[in-house]
Amino acid sequence: MGIWHFLGLEHSRLDIFQDGGLLDMKEKIAPIVSVVMGSDSDLPVMGETINILKDFAVPHEVFLTSAHRSPERTSSFAKRASQRGIKVIIVGAGAAAHLAGVIASQSRLPVIGVPIDATPLGGMDALLSTAQMPGGIPVAAMSIGKAGAKNAALLSIRILALEDGNLRKKLHTFTERMAKDIEKKQESLTCEKS
Ligand code: RP5
């Protein structure tokens, strides 16, 4: 039983790059969002991204590469992503998190960065590395950790929804459900008091 199963991702449509090639895990659906991670240790956080993409039925892939440990693999991925049909790249990385910026520098696709809490600095290192890009190469920096991972997926879906009415409807339903949940929680608070 691998980490994918542990995370409840075994039914995800995941294309995982291995040795530079795509390994098709389930039925072949061309991915349009790429979820990139600097290490497999980022998966418990980036699982939040993957779960949201699954919920919205957005075809996606998961790709492991490191700006520092595998710079050529990173470069090759970034340069080929657009021609493979990827529309948005989400990047989770911790520590001196250069991965999102390096990918953004070699691709014209929108890049969303998720800072991971991976060091004694609690993710502040990754947050600043992700957010403080020099002018000219944008990375959309999310908040540190699981909330950022979730929002990265939702931001990618908002981008895709600009040209996808079905995704717009799903976003609307998702947002309405959150509002209703707050009302339900209010009701249960009121019931508990009386
Ligand atoms: C970063 O270094 C990764 O994104 C990860 O968050 C962090 C630690 O990586 P491991 O040492 O756990 O592989 O590049």
Side-chain angles (χ1 to χ4, degrees), residues 16-95:
I16 303 174
F17 266 75
Q18 279 200 338
D19 301 320
L22 271 176
L23 175 67
D24 198 348
M25 295 289 285
K26 294 283 173 192
E27 76 261 48
K28 182 67 190 162
I29 297 177
I32 56 174
V33 174
S34 198
V35 182
V36 183
M37 292 181 283
S39 167
D40 59 350
S41 65
D42 298 326
L43 189 53
V45 171
M46 296 309 291
E48 298 287 325
T49 303
I50 294 163
N51 284 337
I52 295 270
L53 293 173
K54 275 171 60 185
D55 286 349
F56 280 80
V58 174
H60 56 279
E61 65 182 9
V62 178
F63 183 60
L64 283 183
T65 191
S66 163
H68 309 113
R69 293 168 176 160
S70 61
E72 282 168 21
R73 178 177 167 83
T74 299
S75 181
S76 161
F77 165 82
K79 287 176 182 165
R80 292 176 51 228
S82 178
Q83 74 198 44
R84 289 195 300 108
I86 299 298
K87 306 279 185 220
V88 184
I89 301 174
I90 297 172
V91 182

